[in-house]
Amino acid sequence: MEHPEEVKMGNETIVTSFVLLGFSHLANLQLLLFVLILLMFLVTLTGNCLIVVISAIDPALHTPMYYFLKNLALIEIFYSLCIVPNVLVSLLVERRVTSFTACSLQLNVIMLFVTSESFLLAAMAYDRHVAICHPLQYTTIMNRRHCFWMVIVSWISGIPVMVGFTAWLFSVPFCGPNEINHFFCDIPPVLKLVCADTSLFELLIFIVIVLIVMIPFSLITVSYLRIIHAVLHMQSAEGRRKAFSTCAAHLVVVTLFYSTAGIVHLRPKSNLSPDSKKLVTLSYTVVTPMLNPIIYSLRNKEVKEGLRKSFCRRGFTERPSVSPLDR
C-alpha cells in the first residue's frame, strides 16, 4: 500500500504532504526540550501580552516608542503561535505529518512576520534618531499619522515576498522522500525536496533575503551613526548617558534578531549541519521572542511603572510631560 503522503505518477513519486522530523535525533532529550520550550513559550506570551495591554491602557505610554513596541510584541506573539505549538507537538510524537496546504500557509506567515519585524526594528531606530537628533521637532515628525503609516508599511512589507515565493515554490513538483529535516516548514529544507533545478530559485531567495535584511539594517545603521554623532557633541554627561540608555534595549534586540537569523539565512552553504541549524533556528524562533519583552521591561522604568500600577490597581493619574529621550 502506498503511503498517504505520496502518490505514484508513472515512475515518479509525487509528494502530497510532508513529515517533519523535528528533534528526533535527540530522542533522550525530547521531554527536557518540551518542558524548556513550553516554559519559554508561556513567558513569551505573558511578557508580550503584558506589553500590548500596558501600552494600550496606560496614558503615559501613548508615545511613538511604545506604539512601535506594542506592534513588535504583537508580531512576536503571532510568530510564536505560528511555530512553537508545532515544535511542542513534534517533541511529543516521533514523526508529525503536515499537509501540503498547512506547510505552505506556515511558510507564508513566517515570511510575513520575519519581514515585518525587520522593518519595524528600523522604524524604532528612526524614532530614537529623531528623539535624540531632533528633540524639538520630535512631536511634529513622529506624529500619529506618520507612526501609523510606518507600522502599516512594516506589517505589509512581507506580503509581496510571501505571495511570490510560496506560490512559486509550491507550484513545482516535490519528489520523495517527503521528510523535512526541520521542526517547521522553512525554505531551505523544503527546497531540498523539489524535483526540478532550484539553482535560480535559491539565488533569487538569497537576493530577496539580503534585501529584506540589508534595507532595514542599513536604515538602523545610518540612524545610530547619526545618534552617536549627536551624542558625542552633547555637553552634558548626563545627557549622553540618558541618550545611550534609551537606545540600549533596542540595540540588544536588533543584535539578537540579526545575529541569529543571519547565521541560518545569509549563510545557506555554511558548515553548520542540519541538526546544528535547528538549534540556531530555535534560538530566534523561541528564545529571542521571549527575551524581547524582558529586555524592554527591565531597561525601561515607564514600562515597569505601568506594570506596577496595573497590578496594584491604582488607576491612572496625570503624570508630568517627559522629553523624547525619556520615552
Side-chain angles (χ1 to χ4, degrees):
M1 179 181 294
E2 295 177 1
H3 293 287
E5 303 88 4
E6 300 175 351
V7 176
K8 289 288 185 180
M9 298 290 291
N11 294 327
E12 275 191 338
T13 301
I14 304 300
V15 173
T16 59
S17 61
F18 303 102
V19 176
L20 295 173
L21 297 183
F23 295 96
S24 55
H25 63 291
L26 300 175
N28 296 330
L29 299 176
Q30 298 259 7
L31 181 59
L32 177 61
L33 280 174
F34 177 84
V35 174
L36 291 176
I37 293 174
L38 177 60
L39 290 176
M40 287 188 285
F41 180 55
L42 294 176
V43 172
T44 298
L45 293 183
T46 303
N48 284 293
C49 285
L50 282 174
I51 286 181
V52 171
V53 173
I54 296 303
S55 298
I57 67 176
D58 190 346
L61 302 184
H62 292 174
T63 63
M65 176 180 175
Y66 296 105
Y67 180 62
F68 294 134
L69 181 57
K70 177 174 65 177
N71 280 273
L72 179 64
L74 285 171
I75 289 175
E76 300 288 20
I77 291 170
F78 296 142
Y79 182 66
S80 297
L81 287 172
C82 178
I83 294 178
V84 180
N86 292 327
V87 178
L88 295 173
V89 172
S90 69
L91 289 170
L92 293 178
V93 296
E94 185 177 352
R95 292 158 58 92
R96 193 178 72 82
V97 177
T98 183
S99 69
F100 196 87
T101 303
C103 188
S104 174
L105 180 61
Q106 185 183 49
L107 188 54
N108 269 309
V109 175
I110 290 172
M111 291 179 67
L112 174 64
F113 290 139
V114 169
T115 307
S116 299
E117 181 168 353
S118 185
F119 279 90
L120 189 59
L121 289 174
M124 296 174 76
Y126 179 73
D127 172 70
R128 294 297 83 204
H129 160 252
V130 175
I132 294 173
C133 300
H134 308 284
L136 299 180
Q137 291 82 37
Y138 181 80
T139 55
T140 302
I141 297 174
M142 301 302 295
N143 58 50
R144 184 185 298 271
R145 182 173 177 271
H146 288 166
C147 292
F148 172 78
W149 281 110
M150 289 171 72
V151 168
I152 291 297
V153 170
S154 297
W155 276 97
I156 68 175
S157 58
I159 293 179
V161 179
M162 172 188 76
V163 174
F165 276 104
T166 52
W168 186 4
L169 178 58
F170 287 91
S171 65
V172 297
F174 290 84
C175 302
N178 65 330
E179 296 178 339
I180 297 177
N181 191 15
H182 213 345
F183 53 84
F184 69 94
C185 290
D186 201 4
I187 290 179
V190 172
L191 204 59
K192 292 179 179 179
L193 307 182
V194 175
C195 299
D197 179 22
T198 61
S199 54
L200 176 60
F201 189 77
E202 290 181 29
L203 176 61
L204 289 175
I205 288 176
F206 183 76
I207 292 173
V208 169
I209 290 176
V210 168
L211 291 176
I212 290 173
V213 171
M214 292 310 298
I215 290 176
F217 187 76
S218 298
L219 295 174
I220 292 171
T221 302
V222 170
S223 295
Y224 274 105
L225 286 175
R226 292 182 176 178
I227 288 173
I228 292 171
H229 181 266
V231 170
L232 292 178
H233 284 77
M234 288 181 178
Q235 300 297 322
S236 168
E238 176 63 20
R240 289 195 296 271
R241 185 200 64 79
K242 185 179 291 186
F244 279 123
S245 176
T246 194
C247 297
H250 181 259
L251 276 173
V252 174
V253 171
V254 167
T255 302
L256 286 171
F257 177 80
Y258 283 104
S259 60
T260 53
I263 290 175
V264 174
H265 294 291
L266 293 182
R267 298 181 59 193
K269 302 298 183 182
S270 67
N271 294 326
L272 287 176
S273 66
D275 292 339
S276 298
K277 284 187 177 182
K278 289 181 193 178
L279 295 177
V280 176
T281 305
L282 195 66
S283 67
Y284 77 81
T285 55
V286 179
V287 179
T288 301
M290 177 193 69
L291 292 178
N292 285 356
I294 295 175
I295 292 169
Y296 275 104
S297 299
L298 293 179
R299 292 287 307 176
N300 198 294
K301 62 182 180 182
E302 289 188 329
V303 173
K304 290 187 286 188
E305 177 66 14
L307 289 171
R308 186 188 65 80
K309 289 196 304 182
S310 297
F311 282 121
C312 293
R313 298 181 179 179
R314 289 188 176 181
F316 303 110
T317 58
E318 186 177 352
R319 299 174 63 182
S321 60
V322 293
S323 71
L325 293 182
D326 293 324
R327 291 172 179 163

